[in-house]
Amino acid sequence: RKEVEQDPGPFNVPEGATVAFNCTYSNSASQSFFWYRQDCRKEPKLLMSVYSSGNEDGRFTAQLNRASQYISLLIRDSKLSDSATYLCVVNKGGPGGFKTIFGAGTRLFVKA
Amino acid sequence: SQTIHQWPATLVQPVGSPLSLECTVEGTSNPNLYWYRQAAGRGLQLLFYSVGIGQISSEVPQNLSASRPQDRQFILSSKKLLLSDSGFYLCAWTRRDYTNTEAFFGQGTRLTVV
């Protein structure tokens, strides 16, 4: 089983739609959680951290359920510019420190 | 401010040739360093990570090796490239002392083995 699993999609949605991405992680020792965005042929960049209490940044809402080992990202009022791959990321502790593990990503296409 | 440099940006190599990709970080010390690979249309696969000089953890068996000769230098190598080594290689760093740290990426190397 992969340490971080995501639905690969693609999700095809019209502008203005609300879309939700889900992610599960396998290791309960995971300590920090993030969503990254990757545009085609570019490096990933941080979209937002995910906190246990849930957090919002404009049209984006992230939620974490530690008991279920589940992370979500909700995008409201989708824009054409939201088209990208969204990566779920977990920092997991281990010998010598911790490591950063990426999910395979979920592709989103927003259409006019 | 911290920066991460990765080069070259694009590389075309014949099967059986050696490989050396270099990554350096500036503006921070004692970073965790990572090499990821992304095959076309696929997600990021963690290849190696390092928590210090000479300390390398390999995540998957493969044709590649990594070295960290200096605190802020991370090198990805191969003695003989395979066709399956083609992909987008990304170097990244995170803080070591703080788990709620984001990963900062280099701009990546697009490797095509022919």
Side-chain angles (χ1 to χ4, degrees):
Chain A
R1 184 185 172 190
K2 292 180 182 177
E3 294 192 79
V4 180
E5 296 208 56
Q6 294 181 249
D7 181 344
F11 284 56
N12 294 287
V13 303
E15 274 188 292
T18 296
V19 60
F21 303 138
N22 302 320
C23 169
T24 57
Y25 59 96
S26 62
N27 193 311
S28 59
S30 300
Q31 296 171 297
S32 305
F33 309 90
F34 310 85
W35 284 100
Y36 281 67
R37 170 189 170 132
Q38 186 178 22
D39 293 303
C40 188
R41 303 177 74 84
K42 297 284 189 180
E43 73 275 21
K45 293 189 177 176
L46 179 67
L47 178 65
M48 58 197 301
S49 299
V50 187
Y51 303 116
S52 296
S53 55
N55 48 299
E56 188 174 305
D57 182 2
R59 298 181 293 109
F60 299 83
T61 301
Q63 301 237 320
L64 166 65
N65 184 323
R66 283 188 182 269
S68 302
Q69 297 182 193
Y70 171 92
I71 306 160
S72 66
L73 176 69
L74 185 76
I75 305 176
R76 293 182 299 279
D77 189 23
S78 299
K79 311 291 185 191
L80 293 175
S81 58
D82 292 334
S83 297
T85 297
Y86 291 83
L87 301 158
C88 176
V89 181
V90 169
N91 282 356
K92 186 185 91 170
F98 66 90
K99 59 182 178 180
T100 299
I101 302 176
F102 282 74
T106 300
R107 299 192 72 184
L108 172 66
F109 295 99
V110 181
K111 300 183 177 180
Chain B
S1 63
Q2 302 90 0
T3 56
I4 177 168
H5 303 279
Q6 184 183 341
W7 67 93
T10 306
L11 194 58
V12 180
Q13 292 282 101
V15 169
S17 64
L19 173 74
S20 180
L21 302 181
E22 188 163 344
C23 172
T24 59
V25 180
E26 296 177 358
T28 188
S29 57
N30 302 315
N32 281 0
L33 295 172
Y34 304 80
W35 278 111
Y36 294 90
R37 177 171 61 201
Q38 188 171 37
R42 306 289 294 274
L44 283 171
Q45 180 185 37
L46 179 61
L47 301 176
F48 300 96
Y49 77 102
S50 171
V51 298
I53 295 173
Q55 299 179 62
I56 311 293
S57 295
S58 175
E59 291 296 297
V60 292
Q62 60 199 299
N63 183 42
L64 302 167
S65 62
S67 62
R68 185 170 177 174
Q70 300 180 49
D71 180 48
R72 291 171 290 174
Q73 184 184 29
F74 205 21
I75 298 171
L76 184 69
S77 304
S78 174
K79 292 182 179 177
K80 289 186 177 182
L81 284 168
L82 306 172
L83 287 174
S84 57
D85 291 324
S86 294
F88 188 41
Y89 288 82
L90 287 155
C91 179
W93 75 272
T94 63
R95 288 175 58 178
R96 185 185 306 175
D97 58 341
Y98 180 50
T99 58
N100 194 29
T101 171
E102 72 177 278
F104 298 91
F105 285 85
Q107 293 190 319
T109 296
R110 199 161 299 280
L111 171 66
T112 303
V113 182
V114 296

